Amino acid sequence: MSRLTEDLEFMEMAYSLAEKARGRTSPNPCVGAVVVKAGRIVGWGYHQEAGQPHAEIVALERAGLRSRGATLYLTLEPCVHWGRTPPCVDRLLTAGLSRVVVSSYDPNPQVNKKGVARLHRAGIKVETGLLGHLNLKLNEAYIKYIASRIPFVTLKAALSLDGKMAAASGDSRWISGPESRYFAQNLRAEHDAILVGINTILKDDPELTLRLEETAGKKWHRAVLDTYLQLPTEARLLKKSAGGRVIIFTGKESPEGRAARLRQKGAEIIRVPAAGGKLDLRAVLKELGRREIASVLVEGGAGVLTSFIQQRLADKVYFFLAPRFIGGEKSPTPFEGRGMETVAGSLELKKLRHFSLRNDIIVEGYF
C-alpha cells in the first residue's frame, strides 16, 4: 500500500469518527483523530461535546506509549489556547509522535496555523490539506460562526410539486411522507436552535422537540419571532422543559406584562428593533450568536422564510418535494413578497444535491 493510499484510508477513518458527534459539539467543531504505528491503529477518538477532551487527546490517551514514533491523523488543527480544555498542541509535543497529518487549518483566529507552526518548530513532520473539503462540509456552521459570531442559517420547508407549503386553509399535514419527517428530525438534531414565526405557533401549536432516541440529552433551543408577544402562555412548547431554553424575540414596544408572564413559564424574552411589524433579523441572529448558538434551522412559515431569503441571511436550504399538487392563489409558498423583477436577477442555489426518500425528493443547496 502506498503512503498516499494509507494516508487517505486513515484520514477517512478520522472523519468517520468526527461524524459521530455531528450536532453535539457546538460551539466547537466536530473533530476525529487516529494514531497509527507500523500500519496499525493504536489509538482513536473524537470530540464528543463542548467541555469534553478533544479528539487528539482521546486518541493519544488510548494509544499510551504506543504513540512514540507513530503518525497522528487529525481532521482539524490542534488548538494552542486555553478554553474549556487545555491547549492540545502541548500534549502532542510530549507524545513522541514522528509525524502529524492535519486535514484542515482551524479558522479560529486564536488557532489558525499556530498549532501547525508549533509542531513544525518542535521538529515534528507535519502535512496539511488531505481531504480538507470534507471539513468544509462537516464544520460549515462552525466555520461561519467562529469568524462572524453569527449562526449558520438553514431553511427547511416541505413543498408540493407546485411549490405550495400548505393549502389555502392553512392545512399542511402532511405534505411530505414519514421518511422525510424522520430526516427532518435528524436535521433538527444537527442544529443548535429551531426558529419559527408566531403564526406557526398560533396555527399548529408545535412542541418543536427532538423525538429521536439517539438525541436524548442534546441541548437545543427553540426560538420564536413574535413582534407583539402573541404567544399563548399555554402553548405546548412552553410545557416541554427538555433541551435548551425557549427564546422569544419581540419588539421593543410589546407589553411588559405579557413578557413577565412568559418569563414565569421559563421563556427568555429578547427585545430587538422592529419596523412595519417585522423584527430585525440581523439583530436576532446577533443575539443568538451571543448565546453561542452556532446554527439555526428555520422552519417557517412562509413570511419568515421569505424574509430570510429576501435579506440574504440564509446560507443553506432543504426543500422536501412531495408528489402532490395543491394549487390556489392564496396557498403559501416559501418565497413570496414582490419577488424578483427578472429571471436573470433571481437567486440560484449552488452546490446542489438531491436524493429520494420513498416518494419524496430532497433538494439541498446553498445560497
Side-chain angles (χ1 to χ4, degrees):
M1 182 185 296
S2 70
R3 169 63 70 85
L4 177 58
T5 300
E6 184 177 85
D7 285 350
L8 286 169
E9 179 181 315
F10 290 126
M11 188 61 80
E12 285 172 351
M13 290 181 184
Y15 270 107
S16 294
L17 289 166
E19 287 276 359
K20 290 178 178 290
R22 183 186 283 271
R24 288 186 174 271
T25 63
S26 186
N28 292 350
C30 294
V31 184
V34 175
V35 183
V36 177
K37 189 170 186 177
R40 296 181 61 186
I41 296 175
V42 295
W44 65 94
Y46 63 97
H47 182 45
Q48 296 188 21
E49 60 182 72
Q52 294 297 312
H54 290 186
E56 55 268 51
I57 303 303
V58 177
L60 289 172
E61 289 297 320
R62 185 167 274 135
L65 294 176
R66 293 173 296 178
S67 64
R68 297 199 172 277
T71 296
L72 171 66
Y73 294 88
L74 188 59
T75 60
L76 194 69
E77 180 179 17
C79 64
V80 296
H81 65 296
W82 278 86
R84 292 171 178 166
T85 59
C88 291
V89 72
D90 292 345
R91 178 67 180 87
L92 268 63
L93 295 177
T94 64
L97 297 164
S98 65
R99 180 170 172 253
V100 177
V101 182
V102 174
S103 179
S104 292
Y105 290 114
D106 191 331
N108 185 343
Q110 291 182 288
V111 181
N112 186 252
K113 298 186 179 180
K114 297 181 179 70
V116 168
R118 284 277 304 277
L119 296 174
H120 274 304
R121 288 198 298 269
I124 298 174
K125 184 178 180 181
V126 186
E127 297 173 20
T128 59
L130 185 67
L131 298 180
H133 65 282
L134 297 181
N135 182 66
L136 293 176
K137 176 74 170 178
L138 175 63
N139 285 313
E140 59 189 9
Y142 169 76
I143 291 168
K144 177 186 178 181
Y145 173 75
I146 203 65
S148 66
R149 298 295 169 178
I150 298 296
F152 187 91
V153 177
T154 302
L155 310 183
K156 190 218 82 176
L159 308 174
S160 61
L161 283 182
D162 55 339
K164 306 298 184 179
M165 295 175 60
S169 65
D171 176 60
S172 61
R173 296 194 177 186
W174 294 101
I175 291 178
S176 58
E179 295 82 5
S180 292
R181 297 198 293 275
Y182 179 83
F183 182 80
Q185 279 290 313
N186 280 280
L187 278 183
R188 284 186 176 183
E190 291 179 6
H191 290 76
D192 297 342
I194 306 162
L195 185 147
V196 299
I198 183 59
N199 289 334
T200 295
I201 302 296
L202 297 176
K203 180 170 67 72
D204 297 333
D205 194 19
E207 294 177 335
L208 301 179
T209 54
L210 302 180
R211 295 188 289 273
L212 304 179
E213 290 184 9
E214 55 268 34
T215 61
K218 173 184 165 61
K219 301 298 181 184
W220 84 100
H221 296 74
R222 291 163 287 170
V224 182
L225 304 179
D226 186 2
T227 306
Y228 305 110
L229 280 187
Q230 298 173 276
L231 184 75
T233 54
E234 65 274 12
R236 291 201 300 164
L237 86 164
L238 294 174
K239 298 175 183 178
K240 290 286 183 178
S241 59
R245 303 189 68 176
V246 173
I247 304 174
I248 304 173
F249 289 96
T250 189
K252 296 186 177 181
E253 306 300 324
S254 61
E256 180 54 39
R258 288 200 56 80
R261 288 192 290 274
L262 289 167
R263 288 192 192 99
Q264 289 176 350
K265 290 287 186 176
E268 180 180 3
I269 308 298
I270 302 176
R271 297 185 182 275
V272 297
K278 294 185 177 182
L279 300 175
D280 183 336
L281 293 182
R282 287 180 173 81
V284 167
L285 293 177
K286 287 181 180 178
E287 289 292 341
L288 291 173
R290 289 192 185 102
R291 287 153 180 79
E292 292 193 333
I293 293 172
S295 59
V296 178
L297 181 65
V298 179
E299 295 195 355
V304 173
L305 293 173
T306 296
S307 292
F308 272 96
I309 295 172
Q310 282 181 335
Q311 297 178 44
R312 307 294 202 274
L313 294 177
D315 299 287
K316 185 177 182 178
V317 65
Y318 280 97
F319 283 153
F320 296 66
L321 301 178
R324 302 174 185 273
F325 288 93
I326 294 177
E329 293 181 0
K330 296 184 178 180
S331 299
T333 68
F335 188 28
E336 300 187 329
R338 291 183 57 186
M340 301 302 184
E341 294 292 334
T342 64
V343 173
S346 62
L347 290 174
E348 185 175 0
L349 292 177
K350 304 174 180 64
K351 295 188 285 186
L352 280 178
R353 182 173 73 105
H354 59 85
F355 53 93
S356 297
L357 290 175
R358 200 170 183 181
N359 294 326
D360 298 339
I361 299 173
I362 316 302
V363 177
E364 173 192 23
Y366 292 79
F367 288 100

